[in-house]
Amino acid sequence: MSGHGFPKQLRLLSAGDYRFVFDHASFKVHGKGLMALACPNGLDHPRLGLVISKKNVRKAVDRNRLKRLARESIRLQQCALPSVDIVLLARRGANELDKATLHRQFYGMWRRLERDARKSMTS
């Protein structure tokens, strides 16, 4: 996958895609206020789906900010990530994190996911 765009092929688009990740999650990575579930997708690039509920993040502006920062993080790290489908879930308190903290959280989560995926592929 070359370039740094965020085209449709990098997104989970259908309810079936999300359901598959929820049912077959091989990897679970936690961050402060965030959790990512992932499973191998058989493609040559990662795909991202976002679940940021109104119950956990009340204001629309906060939900949109989280989504924007998550997409940006995946866009910048897509070359380093394994071929997995990722569903990112926001938990209570995620909206209280500032931009720099969220960037560090995402970066750490993607590194742990990459390490776990590499470890499972070799064993």
Side-chain angles (χ1 to χ4, degrees), residues 19-105:
R19 176 61 45 210
F20 186 81
V21 174
F22 282 119
D23 291 344
H24 300 95
S26 305
F27 312 106
K28 187 185 288 189
V29 182
H30 295 273
K32 185 178 173 89
L34 302 165
M35 182 174 69
L37 302 173
C39 67
N41 64 12
L43 303 171
D44 62 344
H45 57 275
R47 296 190 304 172
L48 176 68
L50 300 166
V51 178
I52 301 176
S53 70
K54 193 173 182 179
K55 178 180 177 183
N56 292 333
V57 182
R58 298 295 296 169
K59 294 182 181 176
V61 67
D62 293 332
R63 290 193 302 275
N64 291 334
R65 181 177 70 97
L66 276 172
K67 289 187 235 180
R68 189 172 56 251
L69 291 173
R71 287 184 192 117
E72 178 72 3
S73 176
I74 285 286
R75 185 183 72 79
L76 294 173
Q77 297 294 322
Q78 69 189 11
C79 295
L81 286 169
S83 299
V84 293
D85 286 344
I86 304 166
V87 173
L88 182 70
L89 298 131
R91 303 171 118 177
R92 287 211 169 104
N95 59 319
E96 296 168 6
L97 303 173
D98 65 351
K99 186 176 180 180
T101 304
L102 279 169
H103 277 296
R104 283 193 307 275
Q105 289 290 324

Side-chain angles (χ1 to χ4, degrees), residues 6-23:
F6 196 73
K8 278 191 172 187
Q9 66 186 17
L10 292 180
R11 305 175 198 168
L12 294 179
L13 297 174
S14 70
D17 293 340
Y18 281 87
R19 176 61 45 210
F20 186 81
V21 174
F22 282 119
D23 291 344

